[in-house]
């Protein structure tokens, strides 16, 4: 190892993972405040020597080219990460997209063995497809216990609502993924499940006693560590029982005292994104990076300005706030993780794809993505976790009926799973339903002049916990329309995609004869499964 040969800025740069667009061209960048242009990104990798990149956006095939490009620019081999908690297809189109982890928790209520098998298969497929497109760090599983229905951040991302079920299923996911050369990540330590505040926007407080934390929040992390999880991601949460000054991400008492010393975790401690409002608003982007490093984090994720943040941490070392020994220990852990996933750290350093590499190394075997077995597993998880009732299937519509397909989403513009070709729109259209699409921001879209002239309305609601929106509940539009249609007698059936907590708010008001179907997934496959059941096409 050549850690001693690195300059201080090179050592510190290894601790940073920067955000980048998965798309190949600058004009495709969607979040310019977070995603640097190609020139700037190349500067971070080639000149500064940052340790890794977290990617969002683009298709799976594009990402294979993108990851090859990034490694070819890098001074040192890169950890390439993505938030792929629901499979590679959740972030990168074309790959396998599973329903959210809570779908597997639903299956576990009736068939624990099947749920365990599904979680392990989901972990394995995610790891295989990640490697196929050049990713080597899976930022999953979520091991938070979602015992607060109002949680806007975790919600269906959790493997359940009790420490027992989360521990069991998250460990199965880790087992499946760990049989392939990727890093796994338990998040968000010490537990983001019992919060009703979105840490992307502001700082949540977890007011529980040490006893309660030990009983509910910690067991799933203990289990993940026992099952060999490679990294633990911190939560931007204030936990007064452990540290009444600093949130967990910036707390040495929590990262070193609890995670390292009490729980014995030896792997990578990675922060949640440093641009998130919970800490950026109070401490500022650069000071947050310094405090996180000081607290014992090895990997500093998504700083707002990587160059400035690296400089700030270097200054903190020079001033004696952080010891150089601690920095070297972090880099040693990072390099051990890189070697585990097959990256070669040589002396002197060689670019990871130096001359002499295979010309075809950027190409992928497409059969490794969305293969029939993986797609079948994903569909089975959705099917086995469905909740439904009422008079199913719907009778064939009569010829003179005026039918409406009313779709409510929380944000039309952020809705990539809906289009004229997707089943939620296409299938009812074939049966003569007229589309009306609304959301909380835009109100009604399309022709609403004849709002009350329909003889029957199919209500489809797409709502789940969404980061940055600060709410996991029923949008006002969905609630208003539901009650209005009940009142007028137009409500023919209800389909809910996403959060089971939304279903729980509807059910007490729903007459037993009206059919309802709930599916955890929102993607095309989920829509097809739900509508086939509704119309008796299964």
């Amino acid at each position: 190892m050549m850690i001693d040969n690195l300059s201080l800025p090179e050592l510190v740069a290894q601790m940073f993972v920067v955000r980048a667009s998965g798309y190949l061209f600058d004009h495709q960048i969607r979040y310019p405040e977070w995603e640097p242009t190609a020139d700037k990104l190349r500067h971070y990798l080639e000149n500064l020597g940052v340790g890794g990149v977290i990617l969002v956006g683009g298709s799976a095939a594009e990402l294979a080219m993108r990851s090859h490009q990034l490694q070819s620019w890098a001074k040192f081999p890169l950890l390439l990460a993505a938030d792929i908690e629901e499979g590679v297809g959740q972030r990168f189109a074309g790959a396998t997209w599973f329903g959210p982890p809570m779908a597997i928790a639903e299956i576990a209520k009736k068939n624990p063995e099947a749920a365990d098998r599904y979680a392990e298969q989901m972990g394995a497929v995610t790891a295989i497809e990640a490697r196929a497109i050049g990713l080597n760090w899976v930022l999953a599983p979520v091991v938070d216990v979602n015992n607060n229905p109002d949680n806007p951040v975790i919600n269906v991302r959790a493997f359940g609502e009790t420490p027992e079920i989360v521990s069991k299923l998250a460990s199965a996911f880790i087992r499946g993924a760990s049989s392939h050369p990727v890093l796994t990540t338990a998040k968000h330590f010490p537990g983001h499940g019992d919060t009703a505040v979105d840490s992307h926007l502001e700082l949540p407080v977890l007011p529980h006693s040490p006893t309660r934390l030990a009983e509910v929040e910690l067991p799933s992390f203990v289990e993940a560590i026992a099952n060999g999880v490679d990294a633990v991601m911190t939560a931007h949460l204030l936990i007064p029982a452990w540290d009444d000054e600093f949130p967990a991400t910036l707390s040495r008492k929590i990262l070193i005292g609890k995670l390292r010393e009490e729980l014995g975790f030896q792997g990578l401690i990675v922060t949640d994104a440093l641009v998130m409002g919970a800490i950026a608003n109070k401490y500022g982007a650069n000071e947050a990076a310094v405090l996180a490093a000081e607290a014992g984090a090895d990997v500093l994720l998504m700083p707002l300005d990587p160059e400035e943040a690296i400089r700030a941490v270097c200054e903190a070392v020079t001033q004696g706030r952080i010891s150089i020994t601690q920095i070297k220990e972090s880099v040693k852990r990072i390099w051990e993780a890189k070697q585990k996933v097959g990256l070669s750290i040589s002396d002197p350093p060689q670019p990871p794809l130096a001359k002499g590499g295979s010309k075809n190394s950027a190409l992928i075997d497409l059969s490794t993505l969305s293969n029939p077995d993986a797609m079948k597993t994903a569909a089975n998880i959705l099917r086995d976790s469905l909740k439904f009732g009422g008079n199913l299937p719907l009778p064939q519509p009569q010829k003179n009926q005026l039918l409406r397909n009313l779709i409510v989403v929380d944000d039309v513009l952020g809705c990539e799973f809906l289009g004229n070709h997707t089943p939620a729109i296409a299938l009812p259209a074939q049966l003569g339903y007229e589309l009306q699409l609304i959301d909380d921001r835009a109100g009604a879209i399309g022709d609403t002049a004849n709002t009350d002239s329909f003889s029957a309305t199919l209500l489809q609601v797409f709502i789940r916990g969404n980061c940055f929106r600060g709410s996991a509940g029923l949008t006002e539009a969905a609630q208003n329309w539901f009650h209005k249609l009940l009142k007028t007698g137009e409500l023919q059936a209800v389909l809910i995609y996403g959060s089971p907590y939304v279903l729980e708010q509807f059910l007490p008001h729903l007459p037993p004869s009206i059919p309802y179907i709930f599916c955890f997934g929102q993607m095309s496959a989920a829509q097809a499964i739900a509508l086939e059941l509704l119309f008796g096409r299964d």
Side-chain angles (χ1 to χ4, degrees), residues 60-140:
E62 277 176 287
L63 204 85
M65 297 178 73
R66 181 66 152 159
S67 54
H68 176 81
Q69 176 192 55
L70 298 179
Q71 292 287 17
S72 74
W73 288 346
K75 190 176 196 174
F76 305 104
L78 297 167
L79 289 174
L80 295 179
D83 279 308
I84 39 178
E85 302 159 5
E86 298 169 22
V88 172
Q90 178 193 9
R91 298 287 178 200
F92 308 108
T96 308
W97 188 357
F98 291 92
M102 200 178 274
I104 301 180
E106 182 64 29
I107 296 166
K109 291 175 186 174
K110 296 174 193 151
N111 191 336
E113 293 77 22
D116 211 50
R117 191 172 65 251
Y118 280 148
E120 188 167 344
Q121 287 171 329
M122 183 176 171
V125 169
T126 301
I128 290 165
E129 295 194 356
R131 284 305 308 217
I133 63 172
L135 298 173
N136 49 33
W137 191 356
V138 173
L139 297 177

Side-chain angles (χ1 to χ4, degrees), residues 161-382:
E161 300 172 320
T162 66
E164 295 75 21
I165 191 67
V166 171
S167 297
K168 197 170 184 318
L169 295 178
S171 295
F173 181 98
I174 292 164
R175 212 165 45 242
S178 296
S179 51
H180 304 277
V182 298
L183 303 179
T184 53
T185 314
K187 58 191 197 184
H188 307 79
F189 185 81
H192 209 316
D194 194 8
T195 60
V197 169
D198 185 349
S199 52
H200 294 80
L201 305 171
E202 49 192 300
L203 181 66
V205 177
L206 208 57
H208 303 307
S209 68
T211 308
R212 147 65 202 242
L213 292 165
E215 284 171 0
V216 177
E217 273 71 25
L218 289 183
S220 50
F221 286 95
V222 171
E223 196 68 23
I225 292 165
N227 279 275
V229 77
D230 300 290
V232 170
M233 181 181 283
T234 67
H236 300 332
L237 293 173
L238 191 68
I239 304 152
W242 287 351
D243 188 335
D244 58 7
E245 185 184 359
F246 290 111
T249 297
L250 312 179
S251 168
R252 194 167 178 86
K253 290 177 187 172
I254 293 175
L255 301 191
I256 301 298
K258 297 290 173 189
L259 185 52
R260 287 267 186 245
E261 291 168 4
E262 277 187 36
L263 302 191
F265 180 60
Q266 299 300 310
L268 288 178
I269 298 178
V270 52
T271 70
D272 206 341
L274 293 173
V275 295
M276 285 165 63
I279 59 170
N281 293 350
K282 179 172 179 182
Y283 299 99
N286 296 338
E287 182 62 9
V290 172
L291 288 168
E294 205 174 2
D298 301 306
V299 177
L300 308 170
L301 182 67
M302 270 181 74
L304 195 60
D305 183 334
E307 202 154 4
E308 285 300 311
I310 290 167
R311 194 174 293 128
V313 175
C314 287
E315 273 174 27
V317 175
T318 315
Q319 292 162 0
R321 275 181 72 180
I322 306 170
S323 77
I324 186 70
T325 309
Q326 183 182 317
I327 298 288
K328 285 183 176 179
E329 281 171 5
S330 287
V331 176
K332 185 168 181 280
R333 283 189 204 99
I334 291 162
W335 281 12
E336 283 168 356
K338 287 182 174 184
Q339 286 175 315
K340 180 179 177 177
V341 296
L343 297 174
S344 165
I345 306 287
S346 54
D347 190 4
Q350 289 289 318
L353 297 172
K355 285 171 188 167
S358 164
K359 270 191 289 189
N360 295 322
S361 53
L363 300 177
I364 51 166
D365 176 1
L366 289 176
S367 67
T368 54
L369 301 176
S370 294
N371 73 39
D373 286 346
M375 298 289 275
K376 188 179 176 187
T377 300
N380 286 343
I381 291 169
L382 290 170

